[in-house]
Amino acid sequence: MDQGRIIKNTGMMRDAARKMEEKHFSDRAAEHVEFLPVEWRSKLSLDGDTVDSITPDKVRGLRDMLNSSAMDIMYYTSPLYRDEITKGLTQELNRLYSLFCSRNPDFEEKGGKVSIVSHSLGCVITFDIMTGWDPVRMYHQEQQALQEDPRWLSYEERHLLEQVHLTRQRLRELEDQLQGLEASMPLASPALKFKVENFFCMGSPLAVFLALRGIRPGNNGCQDHILPKSICQRLFNIFHPTDPVAYRLEPLILKHYSNIAPVQIHWCNTTNPTPYDQIRPTFINPIKETTSASDTESIPSPSTSPVLARRHYGESITNLGKASILGAASIGKGIGGILFSRFARSSSQASAVEGSVAEGEDKRPVDSQSSYGLSSLSQSSSTIIETALELEHRIDFELREGLVESRYWSAVTSHTAYWSSLDVALFLLTFMYKQQELPEVSEDNPDPV
């Protein structure tokens, strides 16, 4: 079941991307983006069938859905199974990359780039693989620090602690000898055999995991605060506003971004959209402009997105049926796909990413941010941002709610809607193909923000 789900989900994303390529990137014939599913879950044994054997038969369908979703979070937070999960995913990523390079020997020579699209818990697992985060090692370091201060221990406990200390000293000596023997061997290769250019997170709870690990907002707007560029050049956090699993990442870098709206993802048929890097920030709560310094301390939690009033903007995801039925309970299952994009050297200038409005449809706004219903940074409020730091690149990108979309139903379906969304497909391709400068926005379609 898991194997078929991720393959079908990736197939839906591939089909959506092909439509967007034909419509918006037909002039980039020398370049191509390929989507490959990374199926790793079914190869893991974990607890075998123990969970299935203890699951009651009543409402079996709902229980199976919970077992296949929430159980993955329990597995990953368990030190007993975490290593098995990370090793399984790492091996599958490296295997796919090696297989792809063997079938496309000129991929690396022509400057091919690798991006990873992860979904839900897969974002956390991939992040930990890339950064090498190991909670077991950190636990041992903390335990060692606590044991070095025996002031509150009894005599018997101190005596036992001394014995443990001597034993660890002996263990360190053996480890030093082992390291001496390994010094003559080649250095261990990185966990992944390739450099990650872009890391796209969809419906990701990564911000919650980072917050619980002690990550707090810093005093600079660099992505390196949570993910060094030496590991991954660009990080993107894509989410639907009603996705109950998704959280924002930007407030973990700069706290005041909890009051700055995420960037709105363009509709796939928006005419002459403003390039994402040129979209100016907008306030979620314009009242903040006149508040005192003491009032700004009530900014929402760094890892949560503030509750907003009902807004009418964005993509109406009406084709969620197949995605939600197909991918419901795919929390943590889908790492999405490994994206291989072949970038050829071209002297021609890229055309603007644009699309025509279908016949019979009303024309949508030229600029995606203009329909957000929020206050742009005006002259009076610009001093607030001038005195505060800004992000080097925006990270949070939000899909749009439909005009007739039920918020409660959307909360159920939105977590699995990314795979079939044309807006998401175009967004991915925009940054995958973004190797040449985009033409400037024409005077007929100025930036209204």
Side-chain angles (χ1 to χ4, degrees), residues 144-161:
Q144 182 176 357
L146 291 174
Q147 292 175 358
E148 289 177 355
D149 187 8
R151 287 177 296 177
W152 302 103
L153 301 178
S154 64
Y155 173 79
E156 291 81 7
E157 289 173 330
R158 282 199 295 269
H159 177 71
L160 291 176
L161 186 58

Side-chain angles (χ1 to χ4, degrees), residues 52 81 92 99 220 269 300:
D52 291 336
Y81 300 113
E92 184 63 14
L99 180 62
N220 65 74
N269 57 357

Side-chain angles (χ1 to χ4, degrees), residues 186-199:
L187 295 177
S189 58
L192 297 178
K193 296 181 179 179
F194 52 87
K195 174 70 181 295
V196 180
E197 183 73 11
N198 301 301
F199 181 31

Side-chain angles (χ1 to χ4, degrees), residues 22-38:
E22 294 174 0
K23 186 174 183 180
H24 299 278
F25 302 96
S26 57
D27 60 327
R28 313 286 281 273
E31 307 174 28
H32 180 62
V33 176
E34 183 59 51
F35 291 76
L36 299 179
V38 184

